[in-house]
Amino acid sequence: MLFFLDSAKLDEIEYAIKRWKIDGVTTNPRHLANAKMKVEQFIEKIKPLVENTNISVSIEVNPHLNDAESMIEEAQRIASMCENFVIKIPATEAGFEALSVLSKKGVKVNVTLVFNVVQALQAARLGAYYISPFVGWKEERGDYDVDFISNVVRAVKNYGFKSKILIAAVRSARHFTEAALAGADIITASFEVYKRSFENPYSSLGLDIFKDSWDQIQK
Ligand code: E4P
């Protein structure tokens, strides 16, 4: 399973590439707002970091675009700036229409804001490169569906579609477990979630125990 970082903050991205060897980056308008950057500023900074690497970067079209033609135009413009860019298009009727054109033109599309299996299947049928089911947003609103991740993965894999399932809006290590056991291809999580998950308190406790044991023998 590939690990992507869900962030537009350059310091976090640089750290995660260097220290954690992450495979990709995903952003959305909220992440850009948190990083206090317009999409063009982000593109200018991220491009030199990832070009000539295998690190993919998902960048979302302007969320105010609500017709397929405008999404297609913006997607093509951003995609042409760097081979590593994957364009995020929302799972809406206009988004799906744009996807069917873009995938035929060879633009890599990440269908975002996926909340049910039908949206995932439609994205797969129309040639999505990545499909992003949002796990955390549902849970935060009390809509916890224990089978959501596995249902999306099974439905898409059942028919041999090539789209990769990218589990998004990940909030905890449990989501990693569910995604991995379901056979999801990729997971994207925030800097904080990785930090929390890599640094399990039992590991620190165990290290303290081993330090004590080590010191006893040295006496
Ligand atoms: C990733 O591609 C999504 O945009 C993301 O996981 C949503 O994350 P957020 O809930 O942190 O905005």
Side-chain angles (χ1 to χ4, degrees), residues 9 24 44 56 78 110 131 160:
K9 293 185 178 157
E44 198 186 310
S56 93
I78 299 174
N110 176 346
I131 300 171

Side-chain angles (χ1 to χ4, degrees), residues 118 147 159:
V118 184
D147 297 320
Y159 299 98

Side-chain angles (χ1 to χ4, degrees), residues 50-58 79 82-86 108:
V50 299
E51 58 189 353
N52 304 317
T53 73
N54 291 326
I55 299 170
S56 93
V57 180
S58 289
C82 181
E83 278 186 11
N84 304 54
F85 291 172
V86 178
K108 292 175 184 165

Side-chain angles (χ1 to χ4, degrees), residues 95-108:
F96 287 129
E97 204 182 328
L99 165 65
S100 72
V101 174
L102 289 164
S103 62
K104 288 196 190 89
K105 289 179 185 281
V107 175
K108 292 175 184 165

Side-chain angles (χ1 to χ4, degrees), residues 6 26-28 30-31 58 60 88 110 112 132 134 137 140 166-171 188-190:
D6 208 10
T26 50
T27 64
N28 65 28
R30 183 153 80 171
H31 296 158
S58 289
E60 195 150 343
K88 288 175 88 174
N110 176 346
T112 189
S132 293
F134 273 38
W137 286 24
E140 282 159 3
L166 194 173
I167 303 302
V170 163
R171 301 289 184 255
T188 190
S190 69

Side-chain angles (χ1 to χ4, degrees), residues 97-206:
E97 204 182 328
L99 165 65
S100 72
V101 174
L102 289 164
S103 62
K104 288 196 190 89
K105 289 179 185 281
V107 175
K108 292 175 184 165
V109 174
N110 176 346
V111 176
T112 189
L113 294 166
V114 167
F115 290 95
N116 66 36
V117 169
V118 184
Q119 291 176 312
L121 282 173
Q122 182 67 337
R125 292 179 61 244
L126 299 178
Y129 190 69
Y130 297 146
I131 300 171
S132 293
F134 273 38
V135 180
W137 286 24
K138 291 186 83 168
E139 280 191 37
E140 282 159 3
R141 285 158 183 79
D143 185 9
Y144 178 49
D145 174 0
V146 72
D147 297 320
F148 181 48
I149 295 177
S150 56
N151 283 351
V152 168
V153 173
R154 277 173 51 206
V156 172
K157 306 263 172 192
N158 256 349
Y159 299 98
F161 291 117
K162 290 201 179 106
S163 312
K164 304 274 183 227
I165 308 294
L166 194 173
I167 303 302
V170 163
R171 301 289 184 255
S172 69
R174 176 175 55 77
H175 290 148
F176 278 79
T177 308
E178 290 177 5
L181 293 183
D185 303 286
I186 310 165
I187 195 156
T188 190
S190 69
F191 193 82
E192 292 72 27
V193 168
Y194 279 117
K195 272 270 184 201
R196 250 192 350 253
S197 308
F198 288 153
E199 292 171 8
N200 190 294
Y202 286 109
S203 305
S204 314
L205 178 67

